[in-house]
Amino acid sequence: MPVAAPEISVVIPCRDEEDAVGAVVDQAWEGIERAGRPGEVIVVDNASTDRSAEVAAEHGATVVREERPGYGSAYLAGLAVARGDYIVMGDADETYPMRDLAPFVERLAAGDDLVMG
């Protein structure tokens, strides 16, 4: 049975966040489930020197490696592989409550071009 194409892509840049990234990926999956839409979680490993990429993959994220340093480069690499209609941008250090992304996606689905919170 084919898997539904993602409607939501959560893109998370990450550099040396092995202690937090697993929880962030879990929260992103929870947010996708709460939104009731198919999704994907993409962690962009920005030249981490720890186990960040492995931890993210263990929690079900697609891991993209970006060697060019910087937050912007990491986001661009993640956006290049994102397949969803709705892009949710987060951070790997638990800065944003990813489990609460559903209302943002609903606003986008209702026609808003950009939703920030």
Side-chain angles (χ1 to χ4, degrees):
M1 174 177 280
V3 176
E7 290 183 42
I8 302 169
S9 293
V10 178
V11 178
I12 304 167
C14 178
R15 181 171 179 145
D16 295 330
E17 293 286 356
E18 74 177 298
D19 292 336
V21 71
V24 172
V25 171
D26 291 346
Q27 291 169 21
W29 283 119
E30 182 180 343
I32 290 168
E33 184 177 326
R34 286 181 177 186
R37 299 169 184 268
E40 64 184 351
V41 179
I42 301 165
V43 171
V44 183
D45 180 37
N46 198 209
S48 293
T49 58
D50 65 4
R51 293 189 63 250
S52 293
E54 291 87 353
V55 171
E58 289 167 1
H59 287 260
T62 298
V63 177
V64 175
R65 183 101 172 146
E66 175 54 66
E67 295 297 329
R68 293 174 297 169
Y71 205 58
S73 294
Y75 266 127
L76 290 174
L79 294 173
V81 300
R83 300 175 297 142
D85 297 323
Y86 309 111
I87 307 294
V88 176
M89 299 163 63
D91 206 350
D93 65 1
E94 297 187 274
T95 301
Y96 307 105
M98 302 303 292
R99 66 177 43 96
D100 298 326
L101 64 81
F104 295 89
V105 172
E106 291 309 313
R107 291 291 303 264
L108 292 169
D112 288 350
D113 293 326
L114 174 69
V115 182
M116 295 176 64

